[in-house]
Amino acid sequence: MDKGRPIGVFDSGLGGLTVVKEIKKILPHEDLIYLGDTARLPYGTRSGETVIKFSFQDARFLLKKKVKCIVVACNTASAYAGSRLERKIKIPVFGVVTPAIKKARSFSKKGKIAVIGTRGTIISGAYQFLGIACPLLVPLIEEGEVKGKLITQVAERYLRPLKKKRIGVLILGCTHYPLIEKIIQRVVGKGVSLINPEEEVVAELKNYLTKNKLLNQSKDPGKARYYVTDLTPNFQRVAEMFLGEKLEGRIKKVSIE
Amino acid sequence: MDKGRPIGVFDSGLGGLTVVKEIKKILPHEDLIYLGDTARLPYGTRSGETVIKFSFQDARFLLKKKVKCIVVACNTASAYAGSRLERKIKIPVFGVVTPAIKKARSFSKKGKIAVIGTRGTIISGAYQFLGIACPLLVPLIEEGEVKGKLITQVAERYLRPLKKKRIGVLILGCTHYPLIEKIIQRVVGKGVSLINPEEEVVAELKNYLTKNKLLNQSKDPGKARYYVTDLTPNFQRVAEMFLGEKLEGRIKKVSIE
């Protein structure tokens, strides 16, 4: 495997840009190829069968771009298709679910573990813990509702039942949730440790690339290329919200069906 | 054209079942074929180019089922692809936009006309009137939030600016909005006439079939067949919310890409 090849990242949409942001921070010399399936997002409301089909199309697109490994940034894709992709794709595949489970277990002395996610992620059962589906959080966050009364009200409604369960650890099982981390922390209480799967998967990725001598040896900052399946009207605003910076470089619309 | 053929109806998802409900009421002897593109909903957040592509795939599926005409139940599909479909499809195509515009104009003595819809419907400009995009209403309604504090709060936020504009007519430019008609009426005031495009398009359809002697001559109740592109976890509950009854008959998952 050529260590100079880019790392591939795919997501149902633009939320996976949080993973790109984390890779840029932790592995600044790596080149990146990002695919957001914006023509068919969200994955979180679809059946497992459809999410698996879409995820394989996403992965095959990245394979054609000659990436050295693939990060599945979308929790729902990772939950339904993660292990299948690992088995069938010939290069290493890193889903967000497994590293988050490991991290959560390392905190298990703190109390019970729970996870919040899309309906798909929770139904899949991939996260093996007490799960609560929070379907309204994604649309609210995509509309820029990351603080204020409305999002707080909805978060409280979903999360309040957790307070009676005495949980010690809560996995933020969707790329969008870290954007409202403070609100979530306030609702569940300071004592609960929040796990961000995006950080965990990038830590695992770094570990793997280091051990297997696959780190890019360049001294220059890595370059990122972005592909989407639809340039939606909302695209720029939402992308920059997740990436935390202006979206530089080439953004190209592609068809992957 | 064989008048015994079914009427085709397509929508981005399940909201178009309100049109099926209306056809069953107004044209009870007609057979129906419904296609909901549940694997790729919502259309309201996508680009025009993608909505046009998806709409033609939907229409072609119905053509293969030998329908006598096609009703485009989705406002966004109708707004972006309606006139293109009318030109290129060899059978009559009825979009929801044009009949709603006609009806609104007939009320124009009442004051200015405004329309609410998805971001796509409003950006398209198809509804030629003052438009307000209400992107959070669809996800809220799909989650069953059709009454109470949350939906009222969001509706007020979107609709309050209309009060200063002294509108007389408001088009409910999305299949989902009639489900919260009472809330909308309360927020904009009793004096504003609300137009429901689903009712208008079915009135136009009946008119056309009658004039052209294309009404089904059967004395039996019409049969409906339902196709979706994904059997989503939420499917049954949402479908029955829009249809207002148990979903009877055959529901089949199909691929239309």
Side-chain angles (χ1 to χ4, degrees), chain A residues 93-201:
Chain A
V93 174
F94 301 90
V96 280
V97 171
T98 310
I101 290 177
K102 272 186 217 160
K103 181 71 172 187
R105 291 231 164 96
S106 78
F107 277 112
S108 64
K109 276 184 192 160
K110 288 203 65 183
K112 270 183 246 172
I113 301 167
V115 58
I116 51 174
T118 65
R119 192 167 275 125
T121 298
I122 300 305
I123 289 175
S124 78
Y127 272 113
Q128 304 162 19
F129 309 117
L130 168 69
I132 293 188
C134 307
L136 284 169
L137 294 183
V138 166
L140 282 163
I141 294 167
E142 296 236 328
E143 284 305 313
E145 296 285 330
V146 291
K147 56 186 177 184
K149 207 168 111 184
L150 198 62
I151 186 81
T152 306
Q153 223 173 299
V154 174
E156 273 174 358
R157 198 203 288 185
Y158 287 131
L159 299 173
R160 206 173 285 146
L162 285 181
K163 297 198 85 168
K164 293 176 197 153
K165 306 270 184 182
R166 300 191 182 185
I167 60 157
V169 185
L170 180 64
I171 299 172
L172 307 179
C174 173
T175 52
H176 289 54
Y177 301 165
L179 270 70
I180 57 161
E181 194 168 339
K182 280 181 192 165
I183 293 170
I184 293 171
Q185 188 81 70
R186 208 181 318 136
V187 176
V188 294
K190 274 185 204 165
V192 176
S193 297
L194 303 186
I195 308 272
N196 182 338
E198 287 80 57
E199 290 173 8
E200 301 313 316
V201 76

Side-chain angles (χ1 to χ4, degrees), chain B residues 28-163:
Chain B
H29 304 297
E30 297 296 329
D31 292 333
L32 284 162
I33 293 192
Y34 182 83
L35 172 66
D37 192 8
T38 49
R40 303 188 296 190
L41 70 84
Y43 286 6
T45 56
R46 318 244 182 260
S47 70
E49 198 185 336
T50 293
V51 172
I52 290 166
K53 178 179 144 190
F54 290 175
S55 300
F56 271 90
Q57 290 174 335
D58 298 332
R60 282 192 198 110
F61 172 82
L62 291 174
L63 274 179
K64 278 186 207 152
K65 296 285 170 195
K66 305 218 177 296
V67 296
K68 62 184 171 188
C69 61
I70 291 174
V71 181
V72 186
C74 173
N75 276 267
T76 309
S78 195
Y80 277 126
S83 56
R84 277 182 178 80
L85 289 166
E86 281 174 38
R87 283 198 308 274
K88 300 210 171 161
I89 301 286
K90 308 277 184 211
I91 60 172
V93 173
F94 301 89
V96 280
V97 172
T98 311
I101 291 178
K102 273 186 216 160
K103 181 71 171 188
R105 290 231 165 95
S106 78
F107 278 113
S108 64
K109 277 183 190 160
K110 289 203 63 181
K112 270 183 246 171
I113 302 166
V115 58
I116 52 174
T118 64
R119 191 168 274 124
T121 298
I122 301 306
I123 289 174
S124 77
Y127 273 112
Q128 304 163 21
F129 309 117
L130 168 68
I132 294 187
C134 307
L136 284 170
L137 294 184
V138 167
L140 281 164
I141 294 167
E142 296 235 329
E143 284 306 313
E145 295 285 329
V146 292
K147 55 187 179 181
K149 206 168 113 185
L150 197 63
I151 187 81
T152 306
Q153 220 174 303
V154 173
E156 273 173 358
R157 197 203 288 185
Y158 287 133
L159 299 172
R160 209 173 282 145
L162 285 180
K163 296 199 87 168

Side-chain angles (χ1 to χ4, degrees), chain B residues 143-204:
Chain B
E143 284 306 313
E145 295 285 329
V146 292
K147 55 187 179 181
K149 206 168 113 185
L150 197 63
I151 187 81
T152 306
Q153 220 174 303
V154 173
E156 273 173 358
R157 197 203 288 185
Y158 287 133
L159 299 172
R160 209 173 282 145
L162 285 180
K163 296 199 87 168
K164 293 176 196 152
K165 306 270 183 184
R166 299 191 184 184
I167 60 155
V169 186
L170 180 64
I171 299 172
L172 307 180
C174 173
T175 51
H176 288 55
Y177 301 166
L179 269 70
I180 55 162
E181 195 168 339
K182 281 182 192 164
I183 292 169
I184 293 171
Q185 188 81 69
R186 209 181 317 138
V187 176
V188 295
K190 275 185 203 165
V192 176
S193 297
L194 303 185
I195 309 270
N196 181 337
E198 286 80 57
E199 289 173 9
E200 302 313 317
V201 77
V202 177
E204 177 162 304

Side-chain angles (χ1 to χ4, degrees), chain A residues 14-28:
Chain A
L14 302 169
L17 290 171
T18 52
V19 171
V20 170
K21 186 181 170 187
E22 185 72 11
I23 295 178
K24 283 183 166 193
K25 194 173 105 189
I26 305 294
L27 297 163

Side-chain angles (χ1 to χ4, degrees), chain B residues 209-234:
Chain B
L209 294 178
T210 309
K211 272 191 185 165
N212 291 279
K213 304 198 182 347
L214 282 168
L215 287 168
N216 194 319
Q217 300 302 309
S218 164
K219 302 281 184 243
D220 301 325
K223 289 192 189 89
R225 272 184 295 163
Y226 303 95
Y227 296 89
V228 288
T229 52
D230 190 22
L231 279 167
T232 55
N234 232 357

